[in-house]
Amino acid sequence: MGKEIIAIAEALSNERAIPRDKIFEALEIALATATKKKYQVEIAVRVSIDKKEGSYRTFRRWEVVDDDNLHSPATQTTLSAAQVDYPQVQVGDFVEDEIPSVEFDRITIQTAKQVLSQKVKDAEREQIIAEHRERLGHVINAVVKKQGRDFMILDLGNNAEAVLKREQLIPHETFGRGDRVKVLLSDIKADGKGPQLICSRTSPEFLAELFRIEVPEIGEDIIEIMGVSRDPGSRAKIAVRSKDKRIDPRGACIGMRGARVMAVSNELSGEKIDVVLYDENLAQYVTNAMEPAEVSRIIINEDTHTIDIAVADENLALAIGRNGQNVRLASALLKWDLKVKAESQMEKELKDEEDKVVNVFMDALNIDHDFASVLCDNGFTTLEEIAYVPVSEFLTIDGMDESIANALQDNAKEAIAKRNEDQVKESCAKLEKLDGIDSMLALKLVQAGIHNAEELAEMATDDLSSIEGLDENKAGEIIMTARNECWFKQE
């Protein structure tokens, strides 16, 4: 029987391109499984095959556990019992006794065949994963093997298959059985049925990898891809920059007479590609990303992570693009929320905003319209800026001296204090409308950052534990009152 085992291992190894060690491991598990079926109880078995002779030995195993922790006598033994024959053994070790090896009768062969078949499949899957792990995120060539309604099965060679789902196909693309197709290996999923190699033709990374193949400077890391956004099959934007000042990154990606970008576009079913020059200056980067539209004004709001862009009224449609495509792709490329407006609209909005600020300054600082306008023109937009910037900031304004600046700051601080006081009173009044909340408790809640019933309803009793004089029961009562008011009250 030894020679037959060696022959089986050699044949499977050559036929399936699986290492012999994996085959012998599968055979050992198959023989162990067949051995366990000969016993009435579940036991632990180990089989060891001599890889040169093909002979094998079988061992029954017991796990060593504490004397008071024995739960399965068929697979466990106590430490004190094990140390009789094995003095050096410790808890967690295994002790073994050799038992008769199973004979290859009909039932044993059938069991071994089933286990071996499954283990060989598992080994093949592991090998496919190992071979393709390094290709993850790269473009691979495949052949359409089978078509379904919502997916295609691709043959990658060497018994490897991949799945290309319908939503990962560029719209209106059609492939027939036997067609060659380039795809991005985007993911490897292992489930009960084995690993699935997931492919895509719509991901931004696919376009980036196509440029990496087509443009040697990208492959050599002279040109760096800074971002990609796509509307698959329609249009895309790719931002690039050069690490060598002597090389024009846009020109290198476009190629002579557009040959390189055209090659990528053809692979993507004619997808139009804008090559954008990356710039460390965000305003310039926005301008480049919005091409072919010309940007006349940019307002960056870092607090809301938005950028307002003004273009000439006649170029508004071009800047937005069909169905908002141009601004949508630019937003995805920059990872900022871009809002495109006509110059006339932005001018009106800025004027309205300035008028609001001027009116606030006039009322709060007790100054006239012209003085308030001058402050706005010099970049002051809030009372906090007036109150807390260094006095030297004011001295750059014509006609301003230190005494006037100090007076402005005093007025601004008084206005802020009054505004905050009014806000506290307003918040207290809202909370006092709830049953169980008096003026003192309302003030404590406001000081803790709770300004209305909606915010109180979101609280838990632990959130109110720091409020002096408010125990857990009282906290629970007012929270439920707020929830009844905000969440459960009938219209």
Side-chain angles (χ1 to χ4, degrees):
M1 194 62 211
K3 294 181 179 179
E4 293 179 12
I5 289 178
I6 296 295
I8 290 172
E10 292 288 350
L12 284 173
S13 178
N14 294 332
E15 180 184 346
R16 303 293 184 92
I18 298 173
R20 290 175 77 249
D21 288 344
K22 289 286 184 182
I23 302 297
F24 279 116
E25 181 183 338
L27 281 169
E28 288 173 345
I29 295 173
L31 289 169
T33 302
T35 302
K36 286 191 282 187
K37 287 192 174 184
K38 298 290 185 180
Y39 289 80
Q40 297 296 322
V41 294
E42 180 69 22
I43 65 172
V45 175
R46 182 179 69 86
V47 175
S48 176
I49 299 177
D50 187 320
K51 297 175 184 177
K52 292 183 179 179
E53 301 295 332
S55 59
Y56 58 93
R57 300 170 66 192
T58 306
F59 301 88
R60 182 173 178 180
R61 314 184 81 205
W62 288 270
E63 182 185 5
V64 180
V65 298
D66 290 325
D67 289 1
D68 56 353
N69 201 30
L70 182 66
H71 300 297
S72 175
T75 58
Q76 295 176 334
T77 185
T78 61
L79 179 63
S80 57
Q83 287 180 335
V84 172
D85 296 321
Y86 307 95
Q88 303 300 321
V89 76
Q90 300 293 328
V91 172
D93 293 343
F94 287 86
V95 294
E96 298 180 338
D97 284 341
E98 187 170 359
I99 60 177
S101 296
V102 69
E103 296 294 333
F104 267 88
D105 56 18
R106 181 179 60 83
I107 297 176
T108 303
I109 291 173
Q110 185 66 26
T111 302
K113 182 179 179 182
Q114 292 173 352
V115 175
L116 185 60
S117 176
Q118 184 59 47
K119 293 301 178 182
V120 167
K121 287 180 180 178
D122 292 343
E124 288 178 337
R125 290 167 186 154
E126 291 176 7
Q127 188 166 338
I128 289 173
I129 288 178
E131 289 177 355
H132 288 84
R133 185 70 66 184
E134 295 181 356
R135 303 172 73 184
L136 192 62
H138 294 278
V139 173
I140 56 178
N141 294 308
V143 176
V144 178
K145 183 176 181 179
K146 179 182 177 182
Q147 281 188 306
R149 183 172 182 177
D150 299 321
F151 62 91
M152 289 194 308
I153 302 297
L154 306 179
D155 185 0
L156 307 184
N158 295 327
N159 296 321
E161 294 181 348
V163 176
L164 179 61
K165 296 181 180 180
R166 176 63 57 185
E167 60 265 25
Q168 295 299 322
L169 267 174
I170 295 172
H172 311 301
E173 274 190 328
T174 57
F175 294 100
R177 185 175 180 180
D179 288 349
R180 293 187 174 275
V181 58
K182 287 183 178 180
V183 293
L184 180 85
L185 183 58
S186 58
D187 195 10
I188 298 178
K189 294 182 178 179
D191 55 22
K193 298 179 182 179
Q196 280 190 317
L197 306 179
I198 310 299
C199 296
S200 173
R201 281 178 58 82
T202 60
S203 67
E205 292 79 9
F206 182 48
L207 184 146
E209 286 301 308
L210 290 175
F211 267 99
R212 197 179 306 279
I213 294 169
E214 197 66 35
V215 182
E217 292 86 347
I218 296 177
E220 295 169 4
D221 202 29
I222 298 173
I223 293 176
E224 185 177 4
I225 297 175
M226 303 303 296
V228 179
S229 60
R230 291 184 66 189
D231 193 351
S234 178
R235 191 174 175 186
K237 291 179 182 286
I238 178 170
V240 293
R241 72 173 177 182
S242 176
K243 297 181 180 179
D244 188 337
K245 294 182 179 179
R246 297 170 298 177
I247 295 177
D248 172 23
R250 288 191 70 202
C253 291
I254 293 172
M256 187 71 69
R257 297 180 181 177
R260 290 176 173 176
V261 73
M262 187 60 66
V264 175
S265 178
N266 290 339
E267 178 59 42
L268 301 175
S269 298
E271 190 171 311
K272 295 179 181 178
I273 303 171
D274 298 333
V275 181
V276 176
L277 184 61
Y278 176 82
D279 200 295
E280 294 287 349
N281 184 305
L282 181 57
Q284 184 59 52
Y285 190 20
V286 171
T287 301
N288 296 343
M290 287 299 297
E291 292 180 353
E294 293 185 4
V295 176
S296 58
R297 179 180 290 183
I298 296 173
I299 299 176
I300 300 173
N301 189 331
E302 294 187 356
D303 293 334
T304 60
H305 207 66
T306 60
I307 301 176
D308 291 335
I309 300 171
V311 297
D313 290 32
E314 61 272 18
N315 290 333
L316 182 61
L318 177 65
I320 295 175
R322 185 176 62 184
N323 298 323
Q325 185 183 67
N326 190 53
V327 67
R328 185 173 66 252
L329 290 175
S331 295
L333 185 69
L334 295 162
K335 295 181 175 59
W336 282 72
D337 183 13
L338 305 186
K339 298 179 180 178
V340 179
K341 302 174 182 178
E343 284 182 339
S344 57
Q345 180 186 358
M346 182 171 282
E347 287 290 347
K348 183 179 182 303
E349 291 178 357
L350 291 175
K351 183 66 170 61
D352 292 343
E353 186 65 29
E354 183 178 332
D355 289 343
K356 290 180 182 178
V357 175
V358 167
N359 290 331
V360 170
F361 285 176
M362 290 172 60
D363 294 338
L365 303 177
N366 194 24
I367 58 178
D368 60 21
H369 185 279
D370 292 341
F371 195 178
S373 297
V374 169
L375 291 175
C376 285
D377 293 341
N378 281 272
F380 294 99
T381 58
T382 65
L383 289 175
E384 282 75 12
E385 290 175 353
I386 298 290
Y388 301 112
V389 298
V391 173
S392 58
E393 295 283 340
F394 294 99
L395 301 182
T396 59
I397 302 174
D398 291 340
M400 182 74 71
D401 59 31
E402 191 169 336
S403 61
I404 297 175
N406 288 329
L408 279 175
Q409 290 198 318
D410 290 341
N411 289 344
K413 291 174 182 177
E414 289 179 8
I416 292 171
K418 185 177 185 307
R419 182 190 64 191
N420 292 340
E421 183 179 347
D422 291 342
Q423 289 175 348
V424 168
K425 289 180 179 179
E426 182 181 355
S427 298
C428 287
K430 291 179 180 178
L431 291 171
E432 286 176 34
K433 293 180 180 179
L434 298 174
D435 292 339
I437 299 181
D438 56 21
S439 58
M440 185 175 297
L441 179 55
L443 180 59
K444 290 180 179 180
L445 291 171
V446 172
Q447 290 172 342
I450 303 168
H451 300 89
N452 51 53
E454 288 79 8
E455 293 179 359
L456 180 57
E458 297 287 345
M459 296 291 110
T461 54
D462 290 345
D463 298 327
L464 306 182
S465 60
S466 61
I467 298 178
E468 183 180 355
L470 188 63
D471 59 27
E472 185 175 349
N473 291 334
K474 180 64 174 178
E477 289 176 4
I478 64 173
I479 289 173
M480 286 307 302
T481 300
R483 291 176 179 176
N484 289 331
E485 180 68 25
C486 299
W487 298 353
F488 310 124
K489 186 177 181 180
Q490 296 294 327
E491 293 294 336

